Amino acid sequence: MTKRAFCTECNKALTACICDAICALDNQHFLHILQDPSEQNKAIGTARILGLSLSKVKLTIADIFDAAQFDLSNTFLVFPSEQSESVDSLKQTAQINSDSQFILLDGSWKKAYKLLMTNPFLQSLPKLTINVKEQSRYRIRKSPREDGLSTVEAGYYLLSELENDYDKFLPLLNVFKQMIDFQIASMPAEVYQQHYLNKTTQDDL
């Protein structure tokens, strides 16, 4: 059987390539995405959208990460917990500045939590929550959490809050929508209706 051809940039099948839809965005704050290895080649993965779009971004794929690559004195982990603070509160107390860096964990909720537990330095970082204005648009992936977001949606809300500009980063969501629409159009209608329609479908952090 002939193997499908893949795009070397977005890592998706050529028929599902999103590169033409990518818009270059100059984000003020550095974003570091830590990706579970099982997410690397998923057709519906969204971390690559951030990696291709943003000017200040790094995508690292591993189970264990090197703490030395982070400025732990000025890095925040986007992760919901009882100790998490909002972006607004951190901005008001001047804990966030132009050199601040932010980490997103890319994977299912279970895998993201595993990354947190197997990398102790992540547990020591100050954690923040993002202000989500609407339910996730991740219509073809399930999540045990009602507030779950795809990684690209989390990046969109985080950067929009940090820069107080929700329009600037809308191209991220436009590419995301194009990717999801293509995947839904490519599957039999009965499959989508049975497994995804009217169900919670977001699985990334």
Side-chain angles (χ1 to χ4, degrees):
M1 185 172 62
T2 303
K3 292 184 178 181
R4 289 194 300 172
F6 282 80
C7 175
T8 57
E9 290 295 319
C10 67
N11 205 33
K12 300 185 185 299
L14 287 181
T15 54
C17 178
I18 59 173
C19 292
D20 286 345
I22 293 294
C23 179
L25 300 169
D26 185 18
N27 52 307
Q28 296 177 9
H29 297 86
F30 189 86
L31 185 63
H32 201 145
I33 306 164
L34 306 185
Q35 185 179 70
D36 183 272
S38 66
E39 296 291 317
Q40 183 177 6
N41 297 315
K42 287 192 173 178
I44 58 174
T46 69
R48 186 73 66 173
I49 297 174
L50 294 169
L52 293 173
S53 301
L54 302 177
S55 61
K56 299 179 181 67
V57 65
K58 183 177 181 180
L59 174 63
T60 304
I61 305 165
D63 293 305
I64 305 296
F65 301 95
D66 180 10
Q69 64 183 307
F70 303 95
D71 175 9
L72 298 183
S73 65
N74 200 12
T75 296
F76 299 83
L77 175 66
V78 181
F79 200 86
S81 73
E82 293 182 356
Q83 293 76 38
S84 297
E85 295 188 63
S86 69
V87 174
D88 280 344
S89 66
L90 291 171
K91 288 169 66 176
Q92 290 174 8
T93 55
Q95 295 182 61
I96 290 177
N97 55 47
S98 59
D99 294 323
S100 297
Q101 299 186 17
F102 300 85
I103 294 176
L104 289 177
L105 303 181
D106 180 56
S108 67
W109 175 252
K110 181 178 180 179
K111 291 172 183 175
Y113 184 74
K114 183 179 179 181
L115 289 178
L116 178 64
M117 291 296 101
T118 55
N119 291 274
F121 80 94
L122 292 176
Q123 300 172 38
S124 66
L125 292 175
K127 299 174 182 60
L128 59 81
T129 57
I130 47 183
N131 181 24
V132 180
K133 294 183 176 294
E134 61 182 50
Q135 189 175 9
S136 173
R137 305 176 189 181
Y138 212 172
R139 294 174 286 154
I140 53 174
R141 203 167 182 184
K142 301 174 183 178
S143 172
R145 295 178 61 94
E146 292 185 359
D147 60 348
L149 294 174
S150 66
T151 300
V152 70
E153 289 173 306
Y156 164 77
Y157 283 115
L158 171 66
L159 296 173
S160 296
E161 278 196 84
L162 288 171
E163 299 190 25
N164 195 29
D165 189 345
Y166 284 84
D167 290 334
K168 175 180 177 179
F169 296 101
L170 277 176
L172 296 172
L173 298 186
N174 294 337
V175 180
F176 176 53
K177 181 180 184 301
Q178 176 177 311
M179 184 194 78
I180 297 300
D181 286 346
F182 175 85
Q183 293 297 329
I184 292 175
S186 300
M187 69 175 68
E190 60 272 17
V191 173
Y192 176 62
Q193 292 173 1
Q194 179 180 354
H195 295 284
Y196 303 108
L197 193 61
N198 297 325
K199 292 184 179 182
T200 303
T201 57
Q202 59 274 19
D203 191 25
D204 284 8
L205 180 64

